[in-house]
Amino acid sequence: MQTSVLEQPTAKTFNLSTELRDLLYRLGTERKIEKDTYLFHEGDKADEIYILKSGLIQINKLTSDGKEMILRICKKEDIFGELTLFGEQPTYLLSSLVIESGEVFVIKTKLLEEALMSNGSLTLEYLKWVNNHMRKFQSKIRDLLLNGKKGALYSTLIRLANSYGTETAEGIRINLSLTNQELAKFCAATRESVNRMLSELRKQGAIRMTKDNHILILDMAYLKQQINCEHCPIEVCNIN
């Protein structure tokens, strides 16, 4: 593939009530973010959460052998850094790399905790939303452990299609251009192994590359069959 050109995605915005969303924006302040910088690293003190106003954010995790694994690509209105609320001396579990410059709303966790503690229904909603994100992380790890590198790649393509896909006459076009090296980081695999697996999928007629170097999924059923897809709801089976 060509050098990564990350486009503004078409996926849906985060599914929060108007009341909770308004609270988050009311507590937040705007901050510019620059490409190739980090908002936080794994292990840093966690005293802020973020809502992405514009740009793109990549959420990473270091594996035990020091490899970088991509877990999320955050788009406009996605929340990240959210897993640290109500913790004792919390630290960030993941790292956030800016891959397209833009702006974020920065919310101090102490302020949000105080606001939520005075509203039980919003607290419950927020905790349910965080739990949904934990389910997404667990499902990604499950795919990797149960189905190996191939299963991780196939499930990544399915999630990318759910988050950034557009229906065409031939199949689903993923409106996010990623290098094979970037795809490898979603799967804890090497670029060479991803090259081979993508080549196999092209030979099977399951995918093809468009002229502008986007992946077009021609046979979604084949990908799902290969990983024994459990048909998780879209809220879980996505890359955001």
Side-chain angles (χ1 to χ4, degrees), residues 1 69-70 139-161 174 178-202 206-207 209 215 217 220 222-224 226-227 237 239:
M1 289 186 185
M69 186 174 183
I70 301 174
S139 70
K140 292 171 187 176
I141 300 302
R142 176 203 64 201
D143 289 341
L144 179 59
L145 293 177
L146 295 183
N147 299 301
K149 301 294 192 295
K150 182 177 289 188
L153 175 63
Y154 291 8
S155 65
T156 294
L157 292 176
I158 294 169
R159 288 188 172 91
L160 285 168
I174 298 175
L178 298 167
T179 66
N180 284 8
Q181 182 63 52
E182 289 167 330
L183 277 175
K185 288 182 180 180
F186 280 102
C187 315
T190 65
R191 180 176 58 83
E192 291 76 16
S193 63
V194 167
N195 290 345
R196 290 193 295 271
M197 290 186 285
L198 291 176
S199 179
E200 291 175 8
L201 286 174
R202 286 193 291 268
I207 68 168
M209 301 305 299
I215 294 175
I217 298 179
M220 179 65 79
Y222 176 80
L223 296 180
K224 292 183 176 182
Q226 293 300 303
I227 62 170
C237 189
I239 212 72

Side-chain angles (χ1 to χ4, degrees), residues 118-140:
S118 64
N119 190 319
S121 62
L122 289 188
T123 300
L124 181 59
E125 180 187 350
Y126 185 88
L127 293 177
K128 286 181 176 179
W129 183 85
V130 169
N131 180 66
N132 185 60
H133 273 265
M134 291 301 297
R135 287 179 63 199
K136 286 197 287 185
F137 289 141
Q138 290 168 353
S139 70
K140 292 171 187 176

Side-chain angles (χ1 to χ4, degrees), residues 9 21 35 71 121 124 146 154 157 165 194 213 225 229-230:
R21 189 182 309 180
K35 183 177 178 180
L71 293 175
S121 62
L124 181 59
L146 295 183
Y154 291 8
L157 292 176
V194 167
N213 283 293
Q225 180 185 21
C229 177
E230 297 179 358

Side-chain angles (χ1 to χ4, degrees), residues 158-169:
I158 294 169
R159 288 188 172 91
L160 285 168
N162 286 340
S163 295
Y164 300 96
T166 299
E167 292 278 357
T168 73

